[in-house]
Amino acid sequence: MLRAALHRYGHSSVKGKRLINVDLPTGQLELEIPEGVHPPPESSIDLARLLDVKPGESVLDLGCGSGILSIAAVKLGQGVW
């Protein structure tokens, strides 16, 4: 979603970014957070570490943030809608 917005409005609209490293059971995840976008709260990071989904199950992430829960689910081998 962010990539589509950057494509539509151009990279010049993003003045800065920061990198956030998150340790998940499936390995380290590096999130690039553009300026003006809220980073995931610690509670979302904790939830991403606790996801208990099995291969073949689907996950629906209704959030509108960084997508950390969807990313964590995909790293566990899930299909995400």
Side-chain angles (χ1 to χ4, degrees), residues 1-74:
M1 187 179 295
L2 290 175
R3 187 175 302 138
L6 288 173
H7 178 73
R8 186 178 308 122
Y9 298 109
H11 290 278
S12 61
S13 64
V14 177
K15 299 188 184 345
K17 62 184 176 187
R18 63 181 155 163
L19 297 177
I20 296 176
N21 292 308
V22 179
D23 289 317
L24 298 174
T26 55
Q28 190 171 58
L29 172 65
E30 184 178 84
L31 292 175
E32 185 177 300
I33 308 294
E35 183 178 303
V37 174
H38 294 283
E42 194 62 36
S43 59
S44 292
I45 293 171
D46 289 341
L47 181 56
R49 290 180 180 136
L50 296 172
L51 281 180
D52 183 23
V53 289
K54 306 292 183 250
E57 294 177 339
S58 294
V59 174
L60 176 62
D61 181 3
L62 294 175
C64 59
S66 65
I68 190 169
L69 298 179
S70 293
I71 295 168
V74 167

